[in-house]
Amino acid sequence: MAAKRDYYEVLGINKNATEGQIKEAFRKLAFKYHPDHNQDDGAEEKFKEINEAYEVLSDPEKRATYDRFGHSGEGFFGHGFEGFGFEGVGSIFDAFFGGGTATATRQAPERGADLHRSTSITLEEAAFGVEKELNILRTEYCSVCQGTGSRPGSKPSRCPNCNGSGQVRRVQQSIFGRFTNIATCPQCHGEGRIITEPCHQCRGTGKQKCQRSIMVKIPAGVDDGSRIRLSGEGDAGARGGSPGNLYLNLSIEEHEFFQRDGDNILYELPVNFAQAALGAEVEVPTLWGNVKLKIPAGSQAGQVFQLKNKGVPHLRGRGQGDQLVQLVVVTPESLTKKQRQLFEELAKDLGPARKTK
């Protein structure tokens, strides 16, 4: 076991320190290492050491014994921090820094809890908006007692422990005199009243679980991971507090052939060799319906064409994105005899492929 440090060293004072200097040193160190202010490892042990030193040096008789015998005189005065009591130390600390009286307020209205739900929508629904029915389970005020917790026709009674104040006073004696602590009443939990005849439906809680259907309007242009807030659609509050909010998290289902890139739509258009080489006019699907696209002769695989304003509407602001159409030249997996002959003739006529700029 480590040897105890000198009490004067613990408080950072010399042996000729006055009573006022001892008190001031304790005040600074106690504030620095109090567990409510300092969560570092070792802070609590340091705080105990400081209080043990102060208990001895602030008492003239104990200090005189300590000055004469040191720690060997503990049999006379020094059961240390354990004998002093952590509650007593808290009282000393509060007496120094809290004006000598701690207060507790009656419990205030409390806002209800927020709820979080998730739903999936199609790409078309995300693009143009949709109204969805959402089923949720939430806490509401009891429909029988309207949130009072008491049986209809009865009223809560005044708490006998705190006389309706929601607070109790406790007087403690410290080395600095009497210390009054005002705390929340443990019997009524700060309410000031006690339910003597509980409601049969909610059993005195004033709340019940309810299944509700809510219509949610999802705006056009939302993206995967978007979140919609529905104010006041969460759990009911307490003591007259406002209800919480409902947050709806959106995910967008994978589309059969469209991909989304921001507000743009990506689409791969399959064409054959003849269409790419000779050019063609084809129909292309978009979110807004089919449109005609003219493919120039000599188009290459991977070439991208832009269809203006055929993408997703901007969530905040006017207009919409574009649709980007990428050509995918499809090689036939099997050929007829005639097709093979034609391709062979074409291959001889064209010769080796050359790199284009």
Side-chain angles (χ1 to χ4, degrees):
M1 184 175 178
K4 285 188 177 182
R5 289 201 299 155
D6 181 81
Y7 287 147
Y8 291 100
E9 180 185 345
V10 170
L11 295 181
I13 55 178
N14 59 51
K15 292 189 175 183
N16 297 322
T18 64
E19 182 180 346
Q21 291 172 329
I22 294 173
K23 186 179 295 185
E24 181 63 24
F26 169 76
R27 176 197 293 267
K28 292 180 179 179
L29 292 172
F31 186 85
K32 180 178 180 181
Y33 292 103
H34 193 281
D36 289 345
H37 294 259
N38 193 330
Q39 301 297 322
D40 294 342
D41 292 340
E44 184 174 339
E45 292 302 318
K46 183 74 174 178
F47 185 63
K48 293 178 180 180
E49 184 184 41
I50 292 166
N51 280 280
E52 181 179 332
Y54 180 74
E55 180 194 6
V56 173
L57 299 184
S58 62
D59 185 289
E61 293 185 9
K62 293 181 179 180
R63 181 179 181 184
T65 304
Y66 178 75
D67 288 342
R68 184 175 181 183
F69 300 104
H71 289 296
S72 61
E74 283 192 3
F76 178 75
F77 61 82
H79 35 263
F81 183 81
E82 291 77 307
F84 194 60
F86 195 81
E87 184 178 23
V89 173
S91 299
I92 291 177
F93 184 82
D94 291 334
F96 265 122
F97 303 108
T101 303
T103 61
T105 59
R106 191 168 181 168
Q107 292 192 14
E110 183 179 337
R111 181 176 173 274
D114 293 331
L115 299 179
H116 297 265
R117 297 293 183 269
S118 299
T119 190
S120 61
I121 57 176
T122 65
L123 180 58
E124 287 83 359
E125 290 173 334
F128 301 112
V130 67
E131 195 169 22
K132 289 273 190 179
E133 184 178 19
L134 187 67
N135 294 317
I136 63 169
L137 181 66
R138 69 184 180 190
T139 301
E140 298 181 357
Y141 288 124
C142 175
S143 59
V144 174
C145 68
Q146 307 302 318
T148 65
S150 294
R151 180 177 59 82
S154 67
K155 292 183 179 180
S157 61
R158 179 181 295 179
C159 176
N161 191 48
C162 64
N163 199 30
S165 68
Q167 302 170 347
V168 290
R169 292 172 176 266
R170 183 176 63 181
V171 179
Q172 295 176 320
Q173 191 72 30
S174 74
I175 60 175
F176 296 106
R178 296 179 65 189
F179 174 71
T180 303
N181 179 50
I182 303 176
T184 300
C185 176
Q187 188 167 342
C188 67
H189 306 290
E191 298 286 345
R193 58 190 183 91
I194 294 177
I195 296 173
T196 54
E197 298 182 63
C199 169
H200 70 276
Q201 179 160 298
C202 65
R203 298 181 180 180
T205 64
K207 295 180 180 180
Q208 64 184 55
K209 288 289 186 179
C210 296
Q211 190 79 34
R212 296 296 183 195
S213 292
I214 299 174
M215 296 305 295
V216 182
K217 188 175 182 180
I218 299 174
V222 294
D223 204 347
D224 192 69
S226 294
R227 188 172 73 163
I228 297 175
R229 182 183 67 186
L230 302 172
S231 298
E233 295 291 355
D235 284 343
R239 296 178 294 280
S242 61
N245 299 325
L246 170 63
Y247 291 93
L248 181 61
N249 300 305
L250 302 177
S251 61
I252 299 178
E253 299 168 2
E254 186 176 345
H255 199 275
E256 182 182 1
F257 41 77
F258 289 142
Q259 288 186 342
R260 182 171 175 176
D261 182 17
D263 287 340
N264 292 331
I265 293 295
L266 309 181
Y267 174 70
E268 291 184 344
L269 175 65
V271 295
N272 59 40
F273 286 118
Q275 289 173 310
L278 302 177
E281 188 175 70
V282 297
E283 275 199 345
V284 176
T286 75
L287 292 174
W288 305 82
N290 291 349
V291 298
K292 291 188 179 296
L293 173 66
K294 188 174 182 179
I295 302 173
S299 294
Q300 302 296 310
Q303 192 168 341
V304 176
F305 300 92
Q306 184 180 29
L307 300 177
K308 295 288 290 183
N309 298 322
K310 295 301 180 182
V312 177
H314 301 316
L315 181 61
R316 297 178 179 85
R318 298 179 179 178
Q320 53 264 358
D322 304 322
Q323 179 162 315
L324 306 178
V325 180
Q326 184 178 39
L327 292 188
V328 178
V329 179
V330 180
T331 303
E333 296 181 0
S334 62
L335 298 172
T336 65
K337 185 176 181 180
K338 183 179 179 180
Q339 289 171 339
R340 178 175 290 277
Q341 288 175 348
L342 292 173
F343 268 111
E344 288 174 350
E345 291 176 11
L346 181 61
K348 289 178 182 179
D349 188 58
L350 291 175
R354 297 180 180 179
K355 185 177 181 180
T356 59
K357 293 183 179 180

